[in-house]
Amino acid sequence: MNSVFYPKLAASNLRKNSKAYFPYILSSIFTIVTFYSIFSLAQNPGLSELPGGDVVRVLFCLGVIIVGIFSAALLFYTNSFLIKQRKKELGLYSILGMEKRHIARVLLFEVLFTALISIILGVLGGILIEKLLFLALLALLKIETPVVFNISPSVILITVILFAAIFFLTLLTNLLQIKLANPITLLRGGEHGEREPKTKWILTIIGFAALGTGYWIAVTVSSPMDALGLFFVAVLAVIIGTYCLFTAGSIAVLKLLKKNKAFYYRPNNFISVSGMIYRMKQNAVGLANICILSTMVLVTVSTTVSLYAGQEDMLINRHPRDVGITFYDLRDDSDELLSTAEEERAKLDRIVEQVCSEYDVTAEDQIEYKSYFGNLVARQGDAFHLDRNPNFANGVTTMTWITLDDYNRMEKLNLSLAEDEVMVFRSSGSYGADSLQLEGLKLKVSKDLDSLPFIQKNDDPSYDQYVVVMKDETVVEKAFNAFFSGDASGLIDDAGTYVGFNLKAEDQETAKAASGRMEELVRSEINASFSFLYSTRDDWYGSYGGFLFLGIFLGALFMMAAILIIYYKQISEGYDDHDRFEIMQKVGLSKKEVKKTIHKQVLMVFFLPLAVAVLHTVVAFNVIKRILLLFGLTNIWIFAVCTAVTILFFAAVYFIVYTLTAKSYYKIVEQQ
């Protein structure tokens, strides 16, 4: 044969099978654009200049690995649909006299053309949108900085090599199938799986057990540390359960429907149920893939959006004031006093006066208190004792003591307490008891405090903070003696003094600049522990903005994969059902009844993964909520709203995809 014959035939095949190959090439371009863009951003030198840029770079490098692995899996999976659809055509070539080596050459050029189009357009697309994506990333990070438009030859080279290798491996897979099959098998390649599958009760039981295990872990876990450790166990169990139940459990349900004569022996139900039973084994794997991918979209997007949306709430919890500094007496290794908290406190006053004068800002809403104890404790009823062997997996409980004078000064009150009376604040709820026992010291609770100016209420019982307001240092000393059975004077002297205040200016940028200058001076001149809201906010927006950016990237990739599988399943099912529905019309079924049956089957098959994915997400709410507590997100309503919005948005996209694919399915089925 002429050497030009093979590339011409390959190009002709791509045109004739454009309905199947166009989505495949489009998805290939999309995955290449995604991989190149995130890889290029990870290598962009501009990240080094951003607050939190190192964290973002690590996240993007992780994203590069995930996208690379997922792209290979996706292209292999969609390629399997293509080769199945082409087997009859390739078998016909063999019957007409083409040898397998000739068919291999045709496949070689088909893959070569597909790879060239995908890689060239994918890399060009990645280069064109990289600047746009970098701008989007800066918007998420809330940072203004010169955009670095960087075209890295090494990134292009690695992208080309990776996807060229993927396309080459798909070619080898196709050639192996052709080599092992005879022409008759190829001609009948689309007709396999017509034997009615048996009900596999063992696999069904395994599926229920695995899914039940995953659900039980997700619902019952209460500790954030346990949630983090068991999350991947639950995910693995749910994935196994999903595949088993879609493969075996669905057949069992269909068999039960078939035994229900009143339901089964109706024209539409008969066609839908019987058709699904005969091919459920191959359908089930695709549907389970759609379900798992849909769950990944919902979990990934809702979690990252929640973290980004909840940043200000988390910042308020951790930074009750713009500036927070805790002073201690500074001692050397021999316990010799180097400087006192009062001396360091005086330095702060000087720095605040200097910065306020330079930037025309004022320090307002100041709170100051001396905190005692601050240790881990264990609670049993109204009794507290030192937790010398804390189990962090079961949560953490801390207790801090302050004096009534400090409390009255912060709240601008004039309350009084007896020596045996205290007021108690609990961060995750009310204290709920009339007394408080500190080892051997029993105190009356005169008031259950609802708020404190330096701690916010939250929904995190796994990190319980108790603040006990005592009359004065005399009671504090008694409490120390009760806990430590000895002289508490040294412990009282070691207490830290916290000073916090807000910086007020005409605009936020001025306040931010003043805070930055103050942080610079505090770092260089004061021996104390400190926190500055504005610098922390920049770091957090860098970290969580990177999380959101990566989450949207991966969510889009997972969604595209789910849509692609849905499309190919519909096309594949359409070709498989064409002859069957043609026979049904010949025996008296109208086109209207055929269309109604088609829509019913599509609804039953393709909305089941969405329903199960939503169920998975709802059940996983508790375990993900616990994990988010580790990041500091204690406002569960933010996560609930973000999850609900993500589900609604994804369901809308899913419905649009269903509508479009159902039309393609019907056109294939009714074509003459």
Side-chain angles (χ1 to χ4, degrees):
M1 295 184 184
N2 192 315
S3 59
V4 184
F5 170 77
Y6 299 108
K8 283 187 175 180
L9 182 59
S12 176
N13 289 341
L14 292 178
R15 286 194 299 271
K16 292 177 181 177
N17 293 281
S18 59
K19 185 176 291 187
Y21 268 97
F22 180 73
Y24 176 69
I25 295 175
L26 197 63
S27 63
S28 300
I29 294 172
F30 180 82
T31 55
I32 295 170
V33 168
T34 303
F35 180 85
Y36 174 84
S37 300
I38 196 169
F39 193 17
S40 183
L41 285 173
Q43 302 300 316
N44 196 309
L47 282 181
S48 303
E49 303 174 8
L50 304 181
D54 292 337
V55 176
V56 176
R57 190 183 301 279
V58 171
L59 290 174
F60 282 5
C61 289
L62 177 63
V64 168
I65 297 172
I66 295 174
V67 172
I69 294 173
F70 191 79
S71 297
L74 174 63
L75 295 181
F76 269 96
Y77 190 86
T78 51
N79 176 72
S80 67
F81 281 101
L82 290 175
I83 198 64
K84 176 190 171 184
Q85 214 54 51
R86 299 286 308 283
K87 280 184 177 179
K88 286 186 178 181
E89 177 186 341
L90 299 176
L92 183 60
Y93 288 156
S94 296
I95 296 298
L96 294 176
M98 288 184 67
E99 299 178 14
K100 288 185 178 181
R101 59 189 179 92
H102 298 142
I103 298 176
R105 291 181 184 177
V106 176
L107 292 177
L108 171 63
F109 281 104
E110 288 179 4
V111 173
L112 181 61
F113 293 154
T114 302
L116 286 175
I117 294 172
S118 301
I119 292 174
I120 292 173
L121 294 181
V123 171
L124 289 176
I127 292 173
L128 290 174
I129 71 168
E130 182 195 356
K131 186 172 182 178
L132 178 63
L133 292 176
F134 197 84
L135 287 170
L137 177 61
L138 294 180
L140 290 175
L141 304 185
K142 296 186 180 298
I143 294 172
E144 293 182 4
T145 187
V147 176
V148 180
F149 183 67
N150 180 54
I151 300 178
S152 172
S154 62
V155 173
I156 295 176
L157 180 61
I158 292 174
T159 303
V160 171
I161 292 174
L162 173 64
F163 283 91
I166 293 173
F167 282 112
F168 178 71
L169 291 175
T170 60
L171 172 63
L172 292 182
T173 303
N174 295 343
L175 294 179
L176 183 62
Q177 292 188 54
I178 299 301
K179 181 179 180 181
L180 297 178
N182 57 56
I184 301 300
T185 303
L186 290 174
L187 282 172
R188 300 180 60 186
E191 300 174 1
H192 294 301
E194 291 298 323
R195 295 182 59 185
E196 181 174 326
K198 297 180 180 180
T199 304
K200 300 176 181 178
W201 289 109
I202 295 178
L203 200 59
T204 302
I205 293 171
I206 292 174
F208 276 112
L211 191 64
T213 300
Y215 278 12
W216 182 82
I217 292 174
V219 172
T220 60
V221 67
S222 58
S223 164
M225 295 300 294
D226 284 343
L228 185 62
L230 295 173
F231 178 72
F232 293 103
V233 177
V235 168
L236 181 61
V238 169
I239 290 176
I240 293 173
T242 300
Y243 277 105
C244 289
L245 291 180
F246 267 93
T247 303
S250 58
I251 294 173
V253 172
L254 291 169
K255 290 287 188 71
L256 291 175
L257 290 176
K258 186 176 181 181
K259 290 180 180 179
N260 186 342
K261 296 182 179 179
F263 173 84
Y264 182 65
Y265 287 106
R266 294 179 181 177
N268 295 338
N269 295 342
F270 176 83
I271 298 169
S272 298
V273 174
S274 61
M276 289 168 63
I277 286 177
Y278 276 102
R279 290 189 314 278
M280 200 56 208
K281 182 177 181 180
Q282 62 188 42
N283 265 338
V285 175
L287 297 178
N289 286 329
I290 295 170
C291 176
I292 297 300
L293 288 169
S294 300
T295 306
M296 292 168 71
V297 171
L298 296 176
V299 171
T300 302
V301 175
S302 63
T303 302
T304 52
V305 170
S306 298
L307 284 173
Y308 188 80
Q311 285 183 98
E312 289 300 324
D313 193 74
M314 291 186 284
L315 282 168
I316 291 173
N317 285 337
R318 297 199 179 189
H319 299 273
R321 296 293 187 268
D322 294 348
V323 179
I325 303 177
T326 303
F327 300 94
Y328 298 92
D329 290 343
L330 183 63
R331 301 177 184 274
D332 61 15
D333 295 338
S334 62
D335 202 33
E336 181 179 349
L337 184 64
L338 299 178
S339 65
T340 65
E342 289 76 11
E343 292 172 346
E344 300 300 315
R345 174 75 177 80
K347 294 179 183 178
L348 175 64
D349 291 337
R350 178 179 55 77
I351 290 173
V352 171
E353 183 179 354
Q354 175 184 339
V355 172
C356 288
S357 175
E358 287 180 8
Y359 289 87
D360 193 22
V361 298
T362 57
E364 301 179 358
D365 306 322
Q366 178 172 311
I367 58 174
E368 181 173 348
Y369 64 93
K370 200 168 185 178
S371 61
Y372 305 88
F373 193 52
N375 286 42
L376 295 173
V377 296
R379 178 182 179 180
Q380 293 179 335
D382 66 349
F384 292 82
H385 61 270
L386 281 174
D387 197 356
R388 302 183 188 277
N389 297 296
N391 184 357
F392 293 98
N394 295 329
V396 174
T397 302
T398 64
M399 178 176 284
T400 302
W401 308 330
I402 64 173
T403 63
L404 180 62
D405 286 343
D406 286 341
Y407 176 78
N408 281 335
R409 183 172 59 254
M410 288 185 291
E411 295 286 19
K412 296 179 174 59
L413 297 172
N414 190 27
L415 302 178
S416 61
L417 288 173
E419 283 204 9
D420 64 343
E421 287 183 333
V422 294
M423 295 185 292
V424 181
F425 171 87
R426 183 186 178 190
S427 63
S428 64
S430 62
Y431 173 62
D434 296 328
S435 62
L436 177 77
Q437 293 189 57
L438 304 176
E439 295 291 353
L441 180 64
K442 186 169 184 177
L443 302 165
K444 297 177 184 178
V445 177
S446 67
K447 188 176 183 180
D448 198 337
L449 298 174
D450 294 325
S451 64
L452 279 177
F454 55 90
I455 296 181
Q456 300 290 325
K457 285 280 189 180
N458 58 65
D459 301 319
D460 183 7
S462 64
Y463 184 56
D464 241 349
Q465 293 177 276
Y466 291 87
V467 178
V468 181
V469 181
M470 299 181 176
K471 181 182 179 181
D472 50 33
E473 280 195 357
T474 302
V475 183
V476 171
E477 185 172 355
K478 288 181 180 179
F480 270 123
N481 288 332
F483 266 97
F484 297 101
S485 301
D487 183 17
S489 59
L491 295 173
I492 291 177
D493 291 340
D494 287 339
T497 300
Y498 174 85
V499 178
F501 52 86
N502 292 324
L503 293 175
K504 300 294 183 181
E506 291 185 358
D507 56 77
Q508 189 175 11
E509 289 304 315
T510 301
K512 183 177 180 180
S515 177
R517 174 59 176 161
M518 189 174 295
E519 182 175 2
E520 178 185 347
L521 294 173
V522 167
R523 285 180 181 274
S524 62
E525 300 182 23
I526 296 180
N527 291 310
S529 61
F530 48 82
S531 63
F532 287 81
L533 173 65
Y534 288 102
S535 60
T536 303
R537 178 181 282 130
D538 287 344
D539 290 338
W540 279 30
Y541 272 102
S543 300
Y544 293 125
F547 266 121
L548 178 60
F549 193 82
L550 183 59
I552 292 174
F553 248 73
L554 296 180
L557 186 62
F558 297 151
M559 183 183 294
M560 187 269 299
I563 291 172
L564 197 63
I565 294 174
I566 291 173
Y567 175 80
Y568 279 122
K569 286 301 296 179
Q570 291 283 54
I571 296 299
S572 178
E573 292 299 305
Y575 284 117
D576 287 341
D577 287 343
H578 174 266
D579 294 338
R580 186 175 296 107
F581 280 104
E582 191 176 66
I583 294 173
M584 288 297 177
Q585 289 185 62
K586 289 180 179 179
V587 298
L589 200 66
S590 66
K591 285 191 175 182
K592 183 178 180 180
E593 290 173 320
V594 170
K595 190 170 185 178
K596 183 178 179 182
T597 302
I598 291 171
H599 277 287
K600 187 170 185 178
Q601 180 173 344
V602 171
L603 281 169
M604 290 175 65
V605 173
F606 289 100
F607 274 88
L608 179 62
L610 176 62
V612 177
V614 172
L615 178 62
H616 287 346
T617 306
V618 171
V619 173
F621 185 87
N622 178 64
V623 67
I624 299 174
K625 176 184 72 174
R626 303 295 176 187
I627 294 174
L628 290 178
L629 291 176
L630 295 174
F631 290 87
L633 182 62
T634 58
N635 190 336
I636 305 307
W637 283 107
I638 292 177
F639 179 44
V641 170
C642 290
T643 301
V645 171
T646 303
I647 289 174
L648 291 175
F649 175 78
F650 183 74
V653 174
Y654 198 98
F655 180 78
I656 294 172
V657 173
Y658 152 74
T659 303
L660 296 175
T661 56
K663 291 180 180 179
S664 300
Y665 177 92
Y666 183 72
K667 288 179 181 178
I668 294 172
V669 169
E670 72 170 355
Q671 68 184 3
Q672 302 298 323

